[in-house]
Amino acid sequence: MNDSLSTVVLCGASGYIGRYLRASYEQRGIQVRTVGRGPSSDATWDDRRRLVDVLDGSDLVVNLAGRSVSCRYNKTNADAIMSSRVQTTAELGRALAEVQNAPTLWVNASTGTIYRDSRDRPMGESTGELGSGFSVEVARAWERELFDADVAIRKVALRLSIVLGAGGGAINPMIDLARLGLGGTMGDGQQMFSWVHVADVARVLDHLHENRGISGPVNVATPYPVINEVLMQQIRATLGRARGVPTPSWLLQFGARVIRTEAELVLKSRWVDPLVLTDSGFEFRYPTLDDALAEIASRTPRGLLPVTLG
């Protein structure tokens, strides 16, 4: 534990990762102040004065605000996804510029989806190639707003891979399919699945706070990703299902329209390499998918394995 960390500001604390972080910090005796849209938050985005007051005197600010991407990317949803990330980051930057006792570190969520679809090699912070399309444009605008903010604070863009942990739910359809006997490979099953356990996300934040030489983009993913075929095999094994009917790409495209989401969330090959973390000595508590799924299953009724997209 970092003893110098006494006050953390969490923006977007109502989501899965935010709830986990809040509980983790409070269990350690660290004060948590929240920023959100509802009255239960200590500050709201439309009250600049209160936002400045909440940020003042904190050690670390973590911004996780953003609308869920598990939806169809029509114009209404696309605008909400973009604005919920860019506008809150911009407002946070303006507020931090007015704080007298500013935090030493500003960590802003981003996504490993910023990299291109990759099956040939892993994408590190300095070696990766950015992709194209709506999701990538959102990530680029999100990070640009962070790094363009005119504040003298160390900044990190947290390029999150898919976050696993008990109590989540954004890719629970994979688990539901496996429980019904339909959890075979998705598409050709060779797309890479980069992931991280939510407990390691919390530990990464401690690591970033303690290591003051780290700034810029930071990939948050275990060094041991798996292909979709292996992912589904391990989910089925944990659920006690020997087999699962595969789902071809065309059917995933059709099904995504029916349940109002995007097949990209499953079909894109995300191969995210945590070079900054491993080069700075970070060690993952749950490095392999076996480790993570065993821990999740041990804390979840009936062996269900909830997971959430970061």
Side-chain angles (χ1 to χ4, degrees):
M1 186 203 311
N2 182 2
D3 293 332
S4 67
L5 193 60
S6 61
T7 303
V8 174
V9 176
L10 287 179
C11 307
S14 61
Y16 174 67
I17 300 173
R19 295 195 305 272
Y20 183 93
L21 291 176
R22 181 173 187 172
S24 175
Y25 285 133
E26 290 179 341
Q27 287 172 5
R28 291 163 48 183
I30 295 171
Q31 181 186 16
V32 176
R33 304 171 186 169
T34 61
V35 180
R37 300 188 184 280
S40 61
S41 300
D42 295 311
T44 55
W45 293 108
D46 56 359
D47 187 344
R48 172 77 61 79
R49 186 66 262 158
R50 181 58 185 161
L51 179 56
V52 170
D53 289 342
V54 164
L55 292 167
D56 193 39
S58 62
D59 304 304
L60 167 67
V61 56
V62 180
N63 181 22
L64 304 169
R67 187 197 191 283
S68 171
V69 298
S70 183
C71 61
R72 294 298 295 173
Y73 294 164
N74 56 40
K75 186 179 187 309
T76 299
N77 290 338
D79 287 348
I81 288 169
M82 179 71 81
S83 63
S84 65
R85 286 159 173 76
V86 175
Q87 291 180 9
T88 53
T89 301
E91 184 58 35
L92 187 55
R94 288 189 287 266
L96 284 167
E98 299 180 18
V99 172
Q100 291 188 351
N101 300 297
T104 58
L105 175 61
W106 173 6
V107 176
N108 214 73
S110 181
T111 173
T113 299
I114 197 169
Y115 300 110
R116 66 170 172 83
D117 184 288
S118 177
R119 300 187 182 208
D120 56 327
R121 65 179 181 87
M123 300 284 116
E125 295 90 347
S126 60
T127 63
E129 300 172 30
L130 302 190
S132 60
F134 172 69
S135 297
V136 174
E137 290 307 311
V138 170
R140 294 179 73 149
W142 204 0
E143 292 190 6
R144 185 166 56 247
E145 201 64 53
L146 167 68
F147 293 123
D148 285 352
D150 189 16
V151 291
I153 299 172
R154 182 164 58 99
K155 304 169 190 171
V156 169
L158 211 62
R159 290 180 176 172
L160 289 161
S161 59
I162 295 174
V163 179
L164 281 68
I171 57 171
N172 269 345
M174 286 187 183
I175 296 155
D176 292 339
L177 286 172
R179 293 180 64 193
L180 294 171
L182 301 174
T185 57
M186 297 179 171
D188 64 10
Q190 299 305 299
Q191 65 271 35
M192 295 298 294
F193 177 81
S194 281
W195 61 275
V196 66
H197 193 286
V198 68
D200 278 323
V201 175
R203 296 177 64 249
V204 163
L205 291 173
D206 285 347
H207 182 79
L208 295 174
H209 187 256
E210 293 165 359
N211 289 265
R212 300 185 179 184
I214 299 176
S215 62
V218 173
N219 291 343
V220 184
T222 173
Y224 304 105
V226 296
I227 59 173
N228 174 268
E229 181 179 8
V230 172
L231 167 69
M232 299 312 297
Q233 285 174 349
Q234 295 198 15
I235 288 177
R236 293 197 308 270
T238 308
L239 292 173
R241 304 284 183 178
R243 298 178 182 176
V245 177
T247 312
S249 297
W250 68 266
L251 185 55
L252 284 170
Q253 296 282 359
F254 174 77
R257 291 182 177 275
V258 172
I259 64 174
R260 299 181 183 276
T261 188
E262 294 289 334
E264 175 199 46
L265 299 176
V266 172
L267 293 177
K268 181 172 181 178
S269 185
R270 297 172 175 84
W271 194 350
V272 182
D273 193 354
L275 288 177
V276 170
L277 289 176
T278 54
D279 288 351
S280 59
F282 182 79
E283 296 183 2
F284 289 82
R285 180 173 295 167
Y286 300 102
T288 69
L289 190 59
D290 279 341
D291 295 330
L293 293 183
E295 190 277 338
I296 295 167
S298 71
R299 299 199 300 116
T300 311
R302 295 182 291 114
L304 185 63
L305 305 174
V307 283
T308 187
L309 184 66

